[in-house]
Amino acid sequence: MTRTDAGEGAGGPPERARPHPEAGNDVPHGRLSARPSVSPPPVYPPAPGKGSPGTHRLEGRALLRVPPPSQAAAPARPYWLVVVLHGAGGTAEQALTWLLPQAGSGRLLLLAPRAADSTWDVVGGRGPDVARLDAALHGVFRRFPVDPAGVAVAGFSDGASYALSLGLGNGDLFGAVLAFSPGFMAPMVHHGHPRIFVSHGRDDPVLPVGACSRRLVPELVRSGYAVTYREFGGGHEVPPELATEALRWWVDGPRPA
């Protein structure tokens, strides 16, 4: 396994996306408006149903995994949240399987949206998926107190490409990006300085590492992002040990100021 830790968040890079109208803090530019609060919402604890422990389907075809009662965080302590994005042709249920066994924390919420089409709207222009995710996040933040310094976005394959694109454009919301086998990144704007974890299989037949992560990681480092890179002997997959390492890297790492 190749291990590389590089880069210090020294400043946001200039916008380098395809030509488009003046950049703004809106859905067409990939911007999310939902923001968490450490203070419990007025309706906390959540009413039975979508706020109770277990896995729940939210509006906009998203799944929310809430810790079970034996591990549930006390109301006085805010949760952490990971948004998990599936690959092309995948499902929200599938996305949960990569991190759920490794989650192991009563403070960790997992939100898995589903793309409106066969893959995410980073291809062909943003809109439906950004709006759906923003609505789902607003719903979660209304139901649960979430630490603003404890929000991350993760994804596999096309979901990893989308996680990088959303993460770089919303680094003022996401303190970390966990990208498992990404193919590309296409942020329309850049905000904040999220920490980034990238993993990729050396024998990946779907998204070859040489054309993907070995190109993306140096570009991220040159742009001033703090990147941790893991290459492993395998294909197009999320090895459980790397999912565990990525979560520990996020949970144990520095928090945004």
Side-chain angles (χ1 to χ4, degrees):
M1 182 180 292
T2 300
R3 295 174 176 266
T4 304
D5 293 87
E8 296 296 334
E15 189 175 345
R16 292 190 301 276
R18 60 187 181 274
H20 58 281
E22 182 179 356
N25 291 329
D26 52 17
V27 166
H29 294 95
R31 289 287 285 159
L32 298 164
S33 63
R35 292 295 182 271
S37 172
V38 296
S39 301
V43 296
Y44 193 87
K50 292 173 183 174
S52 58
T55 301
H56 307 281
R57 189 168 299 278
L58 307 181
E59 299 82 357
R61 301 197 298 178
L63 294 179
L64 177 67
R65 175 65 179 181
V66 182
S70 61
Q71 298 178 339
R77 301 184 66 198
Y79 288 87
W80 293 348
L81 170 70
V82 184
V83 175
V84 193
L85 306 173
H86 63 74
T91 65
E93 290 85 352
Q94 184 184 58
L96 284 180
T97 65
W98 302 321
L99 295 184
L100 187 57
Q102 288 78 23
S105 171
R107 296 180 62 197
L108 185 59
L109 300 168
L110 298 178
L111 176 64
R114 183 173 180 179
D117 208 333
S118 60
T119 193
W120 301 98
D121 61 11
V122 69
V123 179
R126 291 164 181 77
D129 293 330
V130 177
R132 286 170 180 265
L133 175 56
D134 208 23
L137 285 169
H138 276 288
V140 172
F141 295 153
R142 282 195 302 268
R143 294 185 178 103
F144 298 93
V146 175
D147 188 343
V151 183
V153 59
F156 168 65
S157 193
D158 269 17
S161 300
Y162 201 45
L164 281 171
S165 302
L166 283 178
L168 300 189
N170 295 275
D172 48 348
L173 170 63
F174 300 119
V177 179
L178 284 58
F180 302 105
S181 305
F184 65 95
M185 56 186 177
M188 298 288 278
V189 293
H190 293 76
H191 285 267
H193 311 100
R195 298 164 56 232
I196 300 172
F197 183 101
V198 179
S199 71
H200 214 119
R202 285 189 290 273
D203 303 314
D204 191 332
V206 179
L207 294 172
V209 64
C212 298
S213 288
R214 288 181 186 171
R215 174 182 58 84
L216 293 173
V217 168
E219 182 178 345
L220 287 164
V221 172
R222 286 193 300 269
S223 296
Y225 291 99
V227 183
T228 294
Y229 181 46
R230 303 289 187 257
E231 250 182 49
F232 60 92
H236 199 57
E237 58 188 305
V238 184
E241 65 272 16
L242 277 176
T244 299
E245 181 184 352
L247 280 179
R248 287 177 178 168
W249 165 90
W250 172 55
V251 170
D252 297 338
R255 287 283 173 269

